[in-house]
Amino acid sequence: MAEVEVNGGVVVYELIGPPDGEVLVLTPGGRFGKDYPGVRPLAQALAEGGKRVLLWDRPNCGGSDIQLFGRSESHMRAETLGLLLDELGMDRVVAVGGSGGARDMIVFTMMYPEKVRRLAVWCIVGGTFSTMSLAGVYVIPELRAVRAGGVEAVVRLSGPAGSWSDLCAVNPRNAGRLRAIGDEEFERVMTRWLDAFIPKPNEAIPGVPDYEFAQIAVPTLIIRGGEKDHDHPKRTSLEVHALIRGSRLIEPPWPEDAWERPGRRGFDFWIHAAKPLLHFVDEVDE
């Protein structure tokens, strides 16, 4: 594990696999870090297939510093990844991600097309229920907290998809960073980020207008959303497939209800994506 400063904040990262392997950036969802259940097993399987896998704690995840800037949280993370790759001397990568990480990687490919050779995504969030649910997880509690008790209340805030209090416990710098941001700026940024999670008829995924998908010109693999997955609906994967010209849609390599199954631990079923991902990455570019 290593760290580097990007845009005034420390980003924690790790490289797994042979040094001469093609670099895949694996990005999980939620405000979860690289050690969230299910992420590392997939990374290790990709590394066993000869790939160099970059695992990273995005801003506001894991051991990295809290950051608040940008059009949306995904746009902030995409910018951070672009600068991280520059710091690591990596010119082009395969962008791979699921759930919120799928959105982050889609936005990254739009913002830095020259840095992406291929794109692969799954468990894509979209639709009214899923998008409004995210607002209730990522932004509404933060706005209630900061309006009621300032950033001190945010420092103590817990949540189901990554906790600000946990971020402050894991990384002692983060409480001070929140206090330096201050009540007004924290509320201002969260209000802006909330806009991404207001369902709009021209946005298949939160915060990304449909017309921006025309910017994606790299080979793209989309794993279809599950029939029973209300948080990452089948319909959204079909819409994204329609929006990315030349993209390929494949059937999920896990059960239709994998996300909803009792006893699921995080992203534990993602390991089943290793084989189709390796096959996709190893295809010869036309």
Side-chain angles (χ1 to χ4, degrees):
M1 188 175 68
E3 58 183 45
V4 64
E5 185 172 318
V6 174
N7 262 357
V10 169
V11 177
V12 173
Y13 71 93
E14 184 176 353
L15 287 163
I16 299 176
D20 60 346
E22 180 172 15
V23 177
L24 275 65
V25 180
L26 176 57
T27 305
R31 287 202 178 107
F32 298 124
K34 59 185 176 59
D35 293 314
Y36 190 66
V39 179
R40 188 171 298 274
L42 175 55
Q44 290 171 334
L46 295 171
E48 289 170 4
K51 308 309 172 188
R52 185 75 160 160
V53 182
L54 172 62
L55 291 173
W56 62 306
D57 285 345
R58 298 160 292 163
N60 307 339
C61 299
S64 290
D65 282 355
I66 286 172
Q67 295 266 42
L68 279 91
F69 65 87
R71 176 173 131 192
S72 74
E73 198 161 13
S74 286
H75 287 82
M76 175 192 69
R77 290 168 174 165
E79 180 178 329
T80 299
L81 178 58
L83 295 173
L84 173 63
L85 294 178
D86 287 343
E87 289 289 333
L88 299 180
M90 296 177 176
D91 295 327
R92 296 188 79 196
V93 300
V94 177
V96 177
S99 194
R103 183 171 61 258
D104 293 350
M105 293 298 91
I106 288 170
V107 172
F108 172 70
T109 303
M110 292 172 174
M111 291 176 62
Y112 296 95
E114 74 284 358
K115 295 182 181 294
V116 180
R117 188 178 77 82
R118 287 178 175 248
L119 169 67
V121 291
W122 60 91
C123 292
I124 310 171
V125 169
T128 301
F129 173 81
S130 180
T131 301
M132 293 184 71
S133 292
L134 290 190
V137 171
Y138 296 134
V139 182
I140 298 297
E142 283 78 353
L143 284 172
R144 291 188 187 280
V146 73
R147 289 168 180 171
V151 292
E152 291 301 325
V154 177
V155 169
R156 299 188 298 271
L157 188 64
S158 61
S163 162
W164 294 93
S165 59
D166 286 346
L167 291 173
C168 294
V170 171
N171 179 348
R173 292 186 300 270
N174 278 331
R177 291 179 66 85
L178 279 171
R179 294 182 180 111
I181 290 168
D183 302 355
E184 290 186 6
E185 180 63 11
F186 186 90
E187 181 178 356
R188 184 178 299 112
V189 173
M190 283 295 155
T191 301
R192 183 170 69 244
W193 286 2
L194 175 62
D195 184 69
F197 298 118
I198 298 173
K200 304 174 186 66
N202 67 324
E203 292 187 358
I205 65 174
V208 182
D210 289 346
Y211 69 84
E212 292 189 354
F213 280 88
Q215 301 173 56
I216 298 179
V218 297
T220 300
L221 179 71
I222 300 165
I223 299 177
R224 176 178 64 74
E227 294 279 359
K228 304 295 184 181
D229 190 343
H230 301 293
D231 293 306
H232 316 99
K234 174 182 178 180
R235 170 182 171 177
T236 298
S237 61
L238 298 176
E239 289 176 331
V240 172
H241 172 48
L243 289 166
I244 300 178
R245 184 176 181 181
S247 63
R248 183 187 314 164
L249 183 76
I250 65 170
E251 294 294 288
W254 42 69
E256 296 284 355
D257 63 347
W259 182 254
E260 306 294 338
R261 285 194 169 188
R264 174 182 61 82
R265 292 189 68 249
F267 306 127
D268 55 6
F269 60 94
W270 284 10
I271 183 66
H272 299 294
K275 184 176 180 179
L277 288 175
L278 288 169
H279 178 76
F280 172 68
V281 173
D282 286 340
E283 290 177 348
V284 177
D285 290 338
E286 296 182 358

